[in-house]
């Protein structure tokens, strides 16, 4: 176990407060990440306020995570200590259903494991806890490589707001020169 400092919501109305909890041990396929930056997504605020009615407290929000690898499990080949990496909205899925086999883990038939607020299949805590914290342990399959040449604090929002805008552009085959409309200038719209 790794004692982790964080900021957590303890109820739907108060400010976030310091919170300590244990991250799981680093398993064979896990990557342990020292968190450097974490974006603030509006979903974080909805979850902290229990706007969707399924928040379990205390909850540590944050699913736009940028950090450096601290250690890796014995079966991890894609990452090593010191690598710059990111973690987005999900940290696990069943890996066996049709969507998972087709790289659509967000549509996992069992339900994806969200970075925070999902029942934790590894059982270290009752629910998964997110990136408003000093470190996180994530299966390598859900860890992304981040280029050292980028402004890493500006990269963090790409991991939720960015991918959410990128997905429809990719889905519809948008290419340079095409004309598109962006409705609204919130977190997603300004990324668009
Ligand atoms: Zn988000
Ligand atoms: Zn699945």
């Amino acid at each position: 176990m790794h004692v982790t400092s964080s900021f957590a919501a303890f109820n739907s109305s108060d400010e976030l407060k310091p919170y300590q909890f244990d991250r799981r041990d680093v398993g064979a396929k896990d990557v342990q990440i020292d968190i450097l930056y974490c974006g603030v997504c509006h979903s974080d605020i909805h979850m902290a306020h229990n706007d969707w009615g399924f928040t379990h407290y205390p909850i540590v929000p944050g699913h736009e995570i940028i950090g450096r690898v601290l250690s890796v499990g014995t079966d991890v080949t894609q990452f090593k200590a010191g690598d710059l990496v990111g973690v987005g909205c999900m940290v696990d899925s069943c890996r066996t259903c049709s969507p998972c086999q087709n790289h659509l883990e967000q549509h996992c038939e069992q339900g994806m494991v969200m970075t925070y607020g999902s029942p934790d299949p590894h059982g270290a805590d009752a629910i998964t806890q997110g990136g408003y914290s000093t470190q996180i342990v994530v299966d390598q399959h859900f860890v992304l490589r981040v280029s050292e040449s980028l402004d890493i604090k500006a990269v963090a929002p790409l991991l939720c707001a960015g991918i959410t805008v990128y997905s429809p552009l990719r889905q519809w085959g948008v290419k340079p020169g095409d004309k598109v409309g962006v409705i609204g200038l919130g977190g997603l719209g300004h990324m668009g």
Side-chain angles (χ1 to χ4, degrees), residues 38-166:
C38 184
V40 178
C41 174
H42 206 104
S43 299
D44 299 350
I45 296 163
H46 285 308
M47 280 292 272
H49 290 172
N50 196 23
D51 290 335
W52 296 322
F54 56 81
T55 302
H56 293 270
Y57 296 103
I59 189 160
V60 179
H63 60 200
E64 297 177 339
I65 297 166
I66 298 288
R68 278 201 191 274
V69 175
L70 281 173
S71 68
V72 299
T74 50
D75 292 352
V76 173
T77 52
Q78 303 167 51
F79 302 101
K80 62 179 188 318
D83 285 354
L84 194 58
V85 293
V87 176
C89 307
M90 55 184 170
V91 289
D92 218 332
S93 68
C94 86
R95 322 288 179 87
T96 57
C97 72
S98 168
C100 281
Q101 294 282 309
N102 287 288
H103 308 294
L104 293 167
E105 291 89 341
Q106 71 272 31
H107 299 310
C108 176
E109 289 169 4
Q110 313 278 323
M112 67 175 186
V113 178
M114 297 187 302
T115 301
Y116 60 85
S118 279
D120 188 349
H122 297 276
D125 205 341
I127 60 165
T128 54
Q129 301 288 19
Y132 297 0
S133 58
T134 53
Q135 59 160 330
I136 191 167
V137 177
V138 180
D139 186 291
Q140 63 176 340
H141 189 69
F142 293 88
V143 178
L144 303 161
R145 186 171 300 284
V146 174
S147 169
E148 297 279 351
S149 66
L150 298 171
D151 175 5
I152 56 173
K153 61 184 179 299
V155 170
L158 293 175
L159 291 159
C160 181
I163 191 68
T164 306
V165 172
Y166 179 69

